[in-house]
């Protein structure tokens, strides 16, 4: 069809599917004829497109962003915002390829999740937001450079206080935190530093974070995000089905605590 735009309105999702298919099968859909059953929701994808294309949402044309939305029940990818001002297919995907500091978004996985999982702590457990340092003596601060004293974990996480987060991190053995975080599909790098407690590591993508939060939403079960369910090769009618695994990564109680907060 002749259109004013050179790109398909679903190109961001198509790009994501193509990369997933290549990773899984070694075959490029642009070269190997195939029918692919995607998980895209046209409603969700259109909503993402509206956000990405609205210049009022961004300071200038240089600013980039990535958006990933996954289904909290099935784990499937519903929509992808791969980047702004794209001019063609298979360009850099800011939803799936970037590795950036997650910042405080990591606290439910790096700090409070493991604390709930491996101790008797609960959302009403008291932590202290007082002057504090990392183990090497470097001071740690909150963004507002103030201290709020005694507060519940629920308050500390809701207000995203850094000092209670580090204290929670320090109460759980690092090997347990490492196993916990990795089970949610998050890779913090070769070494688990204390700064990881407040998201100071490279890094994660929007899709990885969406999938990680999805595990809490479904009561402690992680599903690696997938953008298609089935492929049929046109030449042979051979069928390839995506292997979708649901893995228990934390207790239902831990998930409930995080969800409640």
């Amino acid at each position: 069809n002749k259109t004013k735009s050179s790109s398909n309105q679903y190109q961001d999702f198509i790009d994501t599917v193509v990369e997933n298919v290549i990773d899984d099968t070694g075959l490029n859909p642009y070269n190997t004829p195939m029918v692919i059953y995607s998980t895209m929701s046209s409603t969700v994808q259109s909503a993402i497109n509206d956000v990405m294309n609205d210049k009022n949402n961004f300071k200038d044309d240089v600013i980039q962003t990535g958006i990933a939305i996954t289904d909290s029940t099935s784990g499937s990818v519903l929509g992808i915002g791969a980047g702004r001002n794209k001019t063609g297919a298979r360009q850099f995907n800011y939803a799936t390829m970037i590795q950036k500091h997650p910042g405080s978004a990591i606290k439910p996985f790096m700090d409070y999740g493991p604390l709930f999982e491996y101790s008797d702590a609960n959302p009403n457990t008291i932590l202290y937001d007082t002057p504090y340092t990392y183990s090497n003596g470097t001071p740690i601060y909150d963004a507002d450079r103030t201290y709020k004293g005694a507060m519940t974990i629920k308050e500390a996480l809701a207000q995203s206080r850094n000092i209670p987060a580090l204290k929670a991190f320090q109460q759980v053995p690092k090997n347990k935190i490492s196993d916990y975080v990795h089970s949610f599909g998050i890779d913090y790098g070769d070494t688990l530093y204390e700064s990881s407690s407040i998201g100071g590591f490279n890094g994660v993508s929007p899709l990885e974070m969406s999938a990680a939060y999805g595990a809490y939403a479904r009561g402690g079960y992680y599903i690696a995000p997938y953008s298609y369910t089935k492929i049929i090769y046109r030449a042979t009618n051979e069928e390839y089905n995506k292997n979708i695994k649901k893995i228990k990564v934390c207790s239902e109680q831990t998930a409930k605590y995080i969800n409640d907060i």
Side-chain angles (χ1 to χ4, degrees):
N1 295 329
K2 291 182 179 179
T3 59
K4 293 180 182 178
S5 172
S6 60
S7 62
N8 187 308
Q9 62 175 321
Y10 302 127
Q11 193 64 49
D12 287 0
F13 203 95
I14 293 170
D15 288 349
T16 303
V17 172
V18 168
E19 295 304 325
N20 290 167
V21 169
I22 292 173
D23 288 343
D24 291 346
T25 69
L27 299 173
N28 186 336
Y30 283 104
N31 301 327
T32 303
M34 57 179 77
V35 179
I36 305 171
Y37 291 77
S38 89
T39 59
M40 188 192 78
S41 160
S42 58
T43 304
V44 172
Q45 188 61 49
S46 294
I48 292 175
N49 291 349
D50 289 345
V51 171
M52 301 291 272
N53 295 331
D54 186 348
K55 292 192 174 184
N56 293 324
N57 291 331
F58 305 95
K59 184 179 71 173
D60 55 42
D61 285 340
V62 179
I63 295 289
Q64 271 295 356
T65 188
I67 300 174
I69 298 181
T70 56
D71 187 286
S72 58
T73 302
S74 69
S76 62
V77 183
L78 300 179
I80 291 288
R84 301 179 61 226
N85 305 316
K86 295 175 68 180
T87 56
R90 299 191 68 192
Q91 297 180 337
F92 187 85
N93 191 324
Y94 285 86
T96 64
M97 295 177 179
I98 61 170
Q99 296 291 296
K100 295 289 187 180
H101 290 185
S104 292
I106 205 66
K107 290 173 182 175
F109 308 99
M110 196 69 74
D111 310 320
Y112 299 110
L115 187 63
F116 292 147
E117 188 75 6
Y118 302 117
S119 76
D120 58 0
N122 64 68
N124 292 320
T125 298
I126 299 295
L127 293 173
Y128 292 88
D129 186 16
T130 52
Y132 199 62
T133 67
Y134 290 102
S135 295
N136 65 5
T138 303
I140 178 173
Y141 300 102
D142 279 288
D144 59 5
R145 295 285 175 132
T146 66
Y147 306 99
K148 296 197 172 183
M151 59 198 318
T152 64
I153 285 178
K154 184 172 185 175
E155 292 171 322
L157 178 51
Q159 297 176 31
S160 196
R161 305 300 291 176
N162 288 340
I163 292 167
L166 174 59
K167 290 181 176 179
F169 176 91
Q170 291 175 333
Q171 290 182 45
V172 180
K174 281 189 174 181
N175 63 315
K176 289 187 175 181
I177 294 176
S178 177
D179 290 344
Y180 189 90
V181 171
H182 281 142
S183 72
F184 283 81
I186 296 168
D187 184 4
Y188 54 77
D190 296 331
T191 306
L192 185 59
Y193 295 105
E194 287 185 339
S195 57
S196 297
S197 64
I198 57 173
F201 65 91
N202 280 329
V204 290
S205 69
L207 182 59
E208 287 167 339
M209 288 302 283
S210 181
Y213 271 96
Y216 283 140
R218 65 184 71 92
Y221 289 88
Y222 176 77
I223 301 173
Y226 56 97
S227 60
Y228 73 95
T229 56
K230 184 171 69 172
I231 297 169
I232 297 177
Y233 297 104
R234 289 187 181 275
T236 62
N237 279 331
E238 180 186 356
E239 194 170 297
Y240 174 90
N241 290 288
K242 177 72 175 175
N243 185 18
I244 300 161
K245 295 180 180 178
K246 188 177 182 181
I247 303 168
K248 187 172 180 60
V249 292
C250 71
S251 68
E252 190 176 345
Q253 183 69 79
T254 293
K256 184 178 186 302
Y257 283 159
I258 296 292
N259 290 337
D260 286 347
I261 295 172

